[in-house]
Amino acid sequence: MTPEPTPDGPLTFSFLTLFPELLAPFASEAILGKARERGLVDVNLVNMRDYSQNKHLKVDDTPYGGGAGMVIRVDVAERAMASLPPADEVILFSPAGQPFTQAVAEELAGKAHLVFLCGRYEGFDARVEGLVTRELSIGDFVMMGGEAAAACVLEAVARLRPGVLGDADSHRADSFSSGLLDYPEYTRPLAWQSQEVPEVLRGGNHAAIAAWRREQALRRTLTRRPDLLASAPLTPQDSATLLTLGATPDDLTGWGAPPPPPPKKPNRKKKPIGTPSGT
């Protein structure tokens, strides 16, 4: 389990963007808005046009060598970054970047100041790469700009800060936090369209509920995302459960899973001395 970060103050997110109005409402509503009001996180939206140094607020230009589209100037990005306090990480959204995962979110949640560069058009001048500490990608697809990716990262990271969520333990069993997909959840009504809440969840046996939830998480992961099992922290009992769910011994070996516990030997009671064998 990843230890909780112990920040001395709020985690500040600074976003360099040409369209701050896209991120402003996202960062002001619901849990994020409340976290900002309580001083747990801070969101700083920097309009790169303010650092264009020309009357038309132009931040881009045509690419050298020709080609379609416009490229955001490196000097504009550098001046916008220079207006900010020192950052723990300066992050560029890029298709060539490191995949953004829960593990990365947990790492970033322990920082104090994160700066994100949100591109538009054909992206940034390649020399911007020398100004950043990390490149991130949220998937193998193309969007019109980095603001939607920034919103994803903002929510994924901010929710991990102590105090942001109402229940401090609520994120620990989330999909990917445990290495597995999350188990299914149920609430009222008890029965809906011939589907009832599983009996085990209504019985109050916490040990049985925990075992059922673990089995369901393993079942979902095996069925829907078996690739996750290669990096999940599996126990010998998990291996035994996976075998009952249809996994093979070769699967367990491929995932690096520990061997299941040996079967329990039957408890044969010794017969008292002098007792006839046929009795």
Side-chain angles (χ1 to χ4, degrees):
M1 180 183 297
T2 302
E4 290 282 4
T6 55
D8 296 326
L11 169 51
T12 299
F13 297 83
S14 294
F15 297 103
L16 277 60
T17 172
L18 299 179
F19 298 97
E21 62 273 15
L22 294 180
L23 284 167
F26 190 90
S28 301
E29 301 296 332
I31 291 176
L32 276 174
K34 294 177 180 177
R36 292 179 70 187
E37 291 173 359
R38 294 164 56 199
L40 300 175
V41 298
D42 191 21
V43 177
N44 183 23
L45 302 178
V46 180
N47 191 333
M48 287 187 286
R49 296 186 191 279
D50 295 338
Y51 301 91
S52 61
Q53 292 188 348
N54 62 76
K55 65 179 181 179
H56 299 295
L57 304 181
K58 186 176 175 62
V59 299
D60 56 353
D61 212 328
T62 55
Y64 279 110
M70 303 291 281
V71 178
I72 301 174
R73 294 169 52 125
V74 62
D75 56 333
V76 173
E78 190 278 331
R79 285 193 293 270
M81 290 172 54
S83 71
L84 298 170
D88 296 305
E89 293 267 14
V90 179
I91 297 169
L92 174 67
F93 291 110
S94 164
Q98 171 189 15
F100 180 64
T101 63
Q102 187 68 20
V104 175
E106 291 171 352
E107 179 188 352
L108 296 180
K111 309 293 186 179
H113 184 202
L114 303 173
V115 175
F116 296 88
L117 279 71
C118 304
R120 280 275 158 173
Y121 317 129
E122 293 303 307
F124 287 93
D125 183 302
R127 289 168 288 186
V128 163
E129 296 174 7
L131 304 177
V132 306
T133 61
R134 187 189 303 233
E135 296 182 39
L136 286 181
S137 170
I138 65 166
D140 294 338
F141 52 90
V142 180
M143 298 186 295
M144 291 182 286
E147 287 77 17
C152 291
V153 174
L154 169 61
E155 182 158 307
V157 175
R159 68 189 297 275
L160 298 176
R161 294 289 279 197
V164 171
L165 298 180
D167 184 346
D169 294 327
S170 62
H171 68 77
R172 291 196 177 102
D174 288 338
S175 294
F176 308 117
S177 290
S178 64
L180 304 173
L181 296 181
D182 201 4
Y183 51 78
E185 297 274 17
Y186 296 87
T187 187
R188 293 181 178 83
L190 183 63
W192 178 77
Q193 295 187 357
S194 302
Q195 301 177 65
E196 291 193 0
V197 176
E199 179 66 31
V200 65
L201 300 179
R202 295 140 53 186
N205 185 329
H206 296 293
I209 290 172
W212 181 87
R213 285 175 168 170
R214 184 66 178 181
E215 179 183 344
Q216 291 299 310
L218 290 165
R219 182 189 300 274
R220 281 191 163 192
T221 307
L222 177 64
T223 303
R224 304 180 187 184
R225 288 291 307 276
D227 57 294
L228 297 176
L229 292 167
S231 56
L234 300 174
T235 67
Q237 183 56 51
D238 290 336
S239 296
T241 301
L242 286 166
L243 289 174
T244 66
L245 294 175
T248 67
D250 287 343
D251 290 332
L252 297 182
T253 300
W255 297 327
K264 294 182 179 180
K265 295 181 180 180
N267 185 14
R268 296 179 179 177
K269 295 182 178 180
K270 293 183 179 180
K271 295 179 181 180
I273 297 176
T275 302
S277 59
T279 301

